[in-house]
């Protein structure tokens, strides 16, 4: 009872301000149907379970890529290096032409067609196994079908800025 009362008092802005303090890895999530490809910058990404290898991503239903993920049943998660910060900017610039987004970096189509970026900290291709509606967002749970990983300083986001996390 008391917990419910407490939940009701948390305003979205108060929640956002607290979450700004939390550093997150930055990923670009991509998808493709036919010749249409797109993606978005996202921090709401995490490993769900290792057996079977599974990730989850939280995507605003207003994001262009949300429909592509729904239609194709697949997505790729590309965790960026610090050197790829400009790619994060391109994929978070509202409704930018997708081909302007993919103009930077070396992109390859994975087995599902979802674009995989080369030279990332780690990239994962996933098939959607479950979709959970959650407020303004869709949570896509994806089983990993392909991956590659590398080195290099990881791109992070905290307090409104992109930041570097050194590899060692
Ligand atoms: C650092 C950062 C993290 C973001 N994380 C998410 C996220 O986890 N989920 C989401 O739906 N949008 C997230 N966004 C917002 C999208 O990247 C942004 O709205 C994008 O323009 C959506 O694609 P569209 O313009 O093609 O619709 C984030 C933006 C930034 C800058």
């Amino acid at each position: 009872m008391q917990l419910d009362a407490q939940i009701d008092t948390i305003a979205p802005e108060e929640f956002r301000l607290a979450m700004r303090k939390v550093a997150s890895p930055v990923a670009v999530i991509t998808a493709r149907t036919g010749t249409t490809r797109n993606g978005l910058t996202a921090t709401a990404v995490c490993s769900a379970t290792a057996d079977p290898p599974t990730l989850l991503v939280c995507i605003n239903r207003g994001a262009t890529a949300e429909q592509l993920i729904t239609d194709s049943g697949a997505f790729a998660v590309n965790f960026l290096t610090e050197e790829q910060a400009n790619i994060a900017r391109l994929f978070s610039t509202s409704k930018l032409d997708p081909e302007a987004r993919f103009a930077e970096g070396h992109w390859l189509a994975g087995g599902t067609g979802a674009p995989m970026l080369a030279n990332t900290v780690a990239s994962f291709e996933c098939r959607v196994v479950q979709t959970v509606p959650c407020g303004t967002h869709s949570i896509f749970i994806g089983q990993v079908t392909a991956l590659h990983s590398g080195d290099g300083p990881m791109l992070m986001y905290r307090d409104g800025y992109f930041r570097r996390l050194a590899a060692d």
Side-chain angles (χ1 to χ4, degrees):
M1 293 289 273
Q2 204 180 348
L3 191 62
D4 286 346
Q6 211 179 350
I7 287 169
D8 286 341
T9 64
I10 305 296
E13 194 50 32
E14 194 181 351
F15 174 74
R16 283 193 198 99
L17 281 172
M19 285 306 299
R20 281 172 68 91
K21 305 295 173 196
V22 180
S24 303
V26 179
V28 166
I29 298 168
T30 59
R32 174 197 298 264
T33 55
T35 56
T36 305
R37 58 180 180 167
N38 215 326
L40 75 159
T41 298
T43 50
V45 180
C46 75
S47 159
T49 154
D51 187 12
T54 306
L55 288 173
L56 67 81
V57 299
C58 306
I59 311 286
N60 193 304
R61 272 192 289 281
T64 317
E66 200 267 355
Q67 194 63 49
L68 287 181
I69 298 172
T70 299
D71 292 348
S72 65
F75 60 89
V77 176
N78 301 281
F79 285 101
L80 304 183
T81 65
E82 185 205 23
E83 287 171 0
Q84 294 167 331
N86 201 47
I87 296 178
R89 291 190 189 94
L90 291 169
F91 280 86
S92 57
T93 300
S94 186
K95 306 305 172 197
L96 189 65
D97 174 354
E99 291 317 308
R101 287 175 168 169
F102 287 106
E104 194 162 326
H106 184 53
W107 293 91
L108 296 166
T112 64
M116 300 269 277
L117 179 62
N119 305 316
T120 55
V121 170
S123 290
F124 303 88
E125 189 175 11
C126 302
R127 285 215 179 269
V128 175
V129 292
Q130 205 178 333
T131 304
V132 181
C134 182
T136 51
H137 283 53
S138 293
I139 301 174
F140 294 105
I141 301 172
Q143 195 164 325
V144 178
T145 56
L147 59 82
H148 64 78
S149 61
D151 288 314
M154 168 124 218
L155 184 67
M156 305 290 291
Y157 191 77
R158 181 178 184 267
D159 232 351
Y161 292 96
F162 291 112
R163 297 161 191 272
R164 173 186 211 259
L165 178 70
D168 45 30

